[in-house]
């Protein structure tokens, strides 16, 4: 993409390229879009091009951009008390913790605030290790838990490889994923049963008393939006109970309404021991994350100090944004809207697209959280880009979506769609129309039979 024509935009671009070291990137190869403003489901670049933002940025703009109630709450808090150390009590921090725990299962009533998702997961693991006196951690290959040393080692994706020194005490397992089943299963029931059997075997052979925690995304997100089959999370809960393992639900990506319920695990009738959250809790307006702690684990630290903390734990600006976000989500019935658009518009709309576009190998998702698994052959399921990489056809597809005014989230051969939870029906139709045109790029690389 060329640098912006607008002089201010061009200056921003030049300063960025000269001085900003970006995440996860080869710095010289970057070509970032300069974003100047945003509202609701849209954002604008420095040349005043408007885009419908179905990327969710990094899947966090749950109430959309610049929600007026959240913006005012931050402004009011800034005018009243910008900051205060974690040792003091603060009204917005206390209220945010109450609003969060009003939405978690009974018995999960306390919140330890962090600055984001990775540190939430780090602290949840630390709590589990201290609570159980054990070291090892179980995580899925197809999962992501953050970019810090421990959490990147807990992650299954290829970004771990250059950071992996093999000493984090992490043992990885395969979760259920029927479309690319490692268990050679042919139904969701079979996939679920075999995945649970594999997990329990692994625990038995690694040492049944070895594990402090099992950390699981309630719907694996970055790895490909893979809702677990019915019964899987309940099976995991039972296995954790059998071996005295703390069940940590990583809700950083799906918590706060993304899947059409407040938490992803809500749809599976399970109660975790610890819940990690970030992103959607305040729509990412100010960095915030945290761990919701069960009574049992909180009791471990009733008289014994918890050996962990952060300078900005429960920052008032972030907590004021969380209070306003949760209140707006509730008052405007955004979680219900996410469930409805997923079931009635986005899901069926993507199925219709698959009828016209052979490159769509699989469609997965729920609520405001969907993935298209793009392939060059539906029979072999050959991905449109390799694991850990990209390809000309996927790059062309993304460029075409952007040229048609649509931003999506991309990972390897997949397109993820994560609109705000308050997305309108018309915006969904607009996104589907843009995708319909963009997918012609992916179709042009299709070599399989067309049914
Ligand atoms: N856990 C999950 C499930 C995530 O998706 C992410 C980020 O995408 C993280 C943890 C890490 O969060 P953060 O980037 O805020 O540290």
């Amino acid at each position: 993409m060329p640098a912006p024509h607008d002089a201010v935009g061009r200056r921003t671009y030049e300063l960025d390229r000269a001085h900003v070291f970006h995440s996860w990137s080869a710095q010289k190869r970057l070509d970032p879009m300069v974003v100047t403003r945003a509202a609701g489901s849209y954002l604008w670049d420095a040349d005043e091009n408007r885009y419908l933002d179905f990327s969710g940025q990094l899947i966090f703009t749950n109430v959309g951009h610049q929600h007026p109630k959240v913006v005012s709450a931050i402004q009011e808090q800034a005018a009243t008390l910008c900051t205060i150390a974690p040792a003091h009590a603060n009204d917005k921090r206390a209220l945010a913790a109450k609003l969060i725990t009003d939405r978690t299962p009974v018995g999960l009533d306390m919140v330890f605030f962090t600055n984001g998702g990775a540190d939430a997961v780090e602290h949840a693991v630390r709590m589990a290790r201290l609570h159980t006196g054990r070291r090892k951690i179980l995580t899925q290959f197809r999962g992501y838990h953050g970019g810090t040393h421990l959490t990147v080692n807990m992650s299954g994706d290829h970004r771990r490889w250059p950071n992996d020194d093999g000493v984090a005490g992490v043992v990885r397992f395969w979760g259920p994923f029927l479309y690319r089943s490692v268990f050679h299963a042919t139904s969701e029931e079979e996939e679920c049963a075999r995945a649970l059997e594999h997990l329990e075997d692994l625990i038995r052979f690694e040492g049944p008393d070895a594990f402090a925690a099992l950390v699981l995304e309630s719907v694996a997100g970055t790895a490909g939006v893979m809702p677990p089959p019915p019964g899987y999370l309940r099976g995991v809960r039972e296995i954790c109970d059998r071996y005295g393992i703390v069940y940590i639900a990583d809700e950083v990506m799906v918590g706060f309404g993304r899947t059409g319920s407040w938490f992803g695990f809500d749809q599976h009738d399970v109660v975790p021991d610890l819940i990690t959250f970030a992103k959607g809790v305040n729509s990412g307006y100010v960095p915030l994350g945290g761990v919701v702690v069960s009574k049992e684990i909180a009791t471990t630290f009733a008289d014994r100090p918890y050996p962990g903390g952060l300078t900005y734990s429960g920052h008032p600006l972030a907590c004021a944004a969380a209070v306003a976000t949760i209140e707006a989500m509730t008052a405007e019935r955004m979680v219900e809207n996410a469930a409805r658009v997923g079931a009635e518009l986005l899901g069926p709309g993507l199925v219709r697209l698959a009828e016209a576009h052979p490159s769509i190998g699989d469609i997965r998702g729920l609520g405001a959280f969907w993935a298209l698994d793009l392939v060059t052959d539906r029979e072999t399921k050959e991905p449109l880009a390799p694991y850990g990489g990209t390809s000309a056809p996927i790059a062309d597809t993304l460029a075409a979506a952007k040229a048609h005014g649509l931003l999506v989230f991309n990972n390897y051969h997949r397109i993820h769609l994560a609109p705000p939870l308050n997305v309108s029906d018309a915006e969904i139709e607009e996104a589907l129309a843009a995708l319909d045109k963009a997918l012609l790029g992916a179709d042009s690389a299709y070599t399989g039979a067309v049914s």
Side-chain angles (χ1 to χ4, degrees):
M1 164 178 252
H5 297 107
D6 167 78
V8 177
R10 207 163 49 245
R11 173 100 177 117
T12 302
Y13 185 88
E14 285 161 6
L15 288 176
D16 179 284
R17 299 318 304 119
H19 302 294
V20 179
F21 193 101
H22 286 255
S23 313
W24 307 117
S25 303
Q27 304 300 311
K28 255 177 91 174
R29 295 204 213 134
L30 286 172
D31 184 20
M33 173 167 68
V34 177
V35 177
T36 50
R37 63 194 174 91
S41 300
Y42 294 91
L43 56 79
W44 283 260
D45 71 12
D47 289 325
E48 279 297 296
N49 296 307
R50 190 183 82 154
Y51 300 96
L52 179 57
D53 185 8
F54 270 40
S55 72
Q57 293 303 296
L58 290 176
I59 326 293
F60 58 71
T61 44
N62 287 19
V63 299
H65 291 283
Q66 299 296 114
H67 192 292
K69 292 177 186 164
V70 184
V71 171
S72 322
I74 297 168
Q75 287 168 334
E76 277 166 34
Q77 187 62 38
T80 310
L81 182 72
C82 277
T83 192
I84 196 75
H88 301 292
N90 169 254
D91 59 349
K92 291 302 186 309
R93 185 189 296 145
L95 185 54
K98 175 178 165 29
L99 292 177
I100 292 165
T101 55
D102 280 350
R103 286 156 180 81
T104 54
V106 175
L108 283 133
D109 296 326
M110 297 197 82
V111 180
F112 176 77
F113 285 110
T114 64
N115 301 329
D119 46 354
V121 175
E122 288 258 356
H123 281 281
V125 168
R126 191 182 305 187
M127 287 176 189
R129 282 177 165 164
L130 291 163
H131 177 72
T132 59
R134 300 172 177 180
R135 288 288 308 160
K136 277 166 130 177
I137 305 296
L138 281 157
T139 63
Q140 278 197 2
F141 278 110
R142 292 188 180 102
Y144 180 73
H145 299 289
T148 59
H149 179 258
L150 172 63
T151 56
V152 84
N153 270 273
M154 290 167 60
S155 296
D157 84 35
H158 81 285
R159 288 174 289 177
R160 164 171 53 86
W161 301 344
N163 298 299
D164 189 350
D165 50 23
V167 298
V170 179
V171 175
R172 288 167 215 92
F173 60 96
W174 291 107
F177 180 36
L178 186 60
Y179 183 63
R180 297 184 189 281
S181 173
V182 294
F183 303 112
H184 307 285
T186 54
S187 69
E188 289 287 13
E189 296 73 29
E190 212 171 56
E191 182 75 0
C192 179
R194 291 180 186 181
L196 288 170
E197 201 180 305
H198 153 72
L199 174 60
E200 191 155 11
D201 277 348
L202 190 80
I203 292 169
R204 278 203 294 260
F205 280 82
E206 281 284 337
D209 299 330
F211 290 101
L214 180 147
V215 187
L216 188 59
E217 289 177 78
S218 301
V219 177
T222 308
V225 186
M226 293 169 288
Y232 182 69
L233 296 190
R234 264 207 318 283
V236 166
R237 173 75 271 181
E238 283 164 21
I239 290 173
C240 286
D241 288 343
R242 218 156 24 247
Y243 297 94
I245 299 170
V246 170
Y247 170 18
I248 301 174
D250 186 346
E251 290 272 340
V252 167
M253 192 170 273
V254 296
F256 297 92
R258 178 59 54 199
T259 63
S261 50
W262 279 97
F263 294 96
F265 62 76
D266 287 342
Q267 300 183 37
H268 295 267
D269 194 24
V270 288
V271 179
D273 301 304
L274 295 169
I275 303 164
T276 56
F277 65 87
K279 298 187 189 262
V281 63
N282 65 5
S283 227
Y285 284 27
V286 185
L288 183 68
V291 186
V292 186
V293 187
S294 70
K295 211 167 254 136
E296 203 189 332
I297 295 175
T299 303
T300 293
F301 303 105
D303 294 307
R304 162 188 172 188
Y306 173 62
L310 305 93
T311 294
Y312 302 125
S313 176
H315 194 283
L317 290 179
C319 288
V323 168
T325 295
I326 296 169
E327 285 178 345
M329 277 187 184
T330 307
E332 297 169 29
R333 300 182 62 77
M334 290 188 209
V335 182
E336 293 83 348
N337 189 57
R340 181 188 66 81
V341 297
E344 294 176 12
L345 296 173
L346 200 41
L350 293 173
V351 169
R352 271 198 311 280
L353 283 186
E355 286 161 13
H357 297 282
S359 57
I360 299 180
D362 195 29
I363 299 163
R364 298 184 292 275
L366 71 173
F369 197 39
W370 291 84
L372 298 179
D373 207 303
L374 300 180
V375 296
T376 58
D377 186 326
R378 282 186 178 177
E379 198 65 39
T380 64
K381 303 178 181 172
E382 183 64 27
L384 191 66
Y387 181 67
T390 187
S391 66
I394 192 81
D396 290 348
T397 308
L398 297 171
K402 200 169 167 195
H404 288 103
L406 176 68
L407 297 181
V408 297
F409 180 94
N410 159 244
N411 202 7
Y412 320 144
H413 64 294
R414 280 178 270 105
I415 284 178
H416 295 194
L417 302 167
L421 312 188
N422 54 358
V423 64
S424 72
D425 296 7
E427 288 161 350
I428 300 267
E429 293 309 329
E430 187 182 331
L432 290 170
L435 267 179
D436 191 23
K437 293 177 196 138
L439 284 165
L440 295 173
D443 292 343
S444 66
Y446 191 79
T447 53
V450 180
S451 48

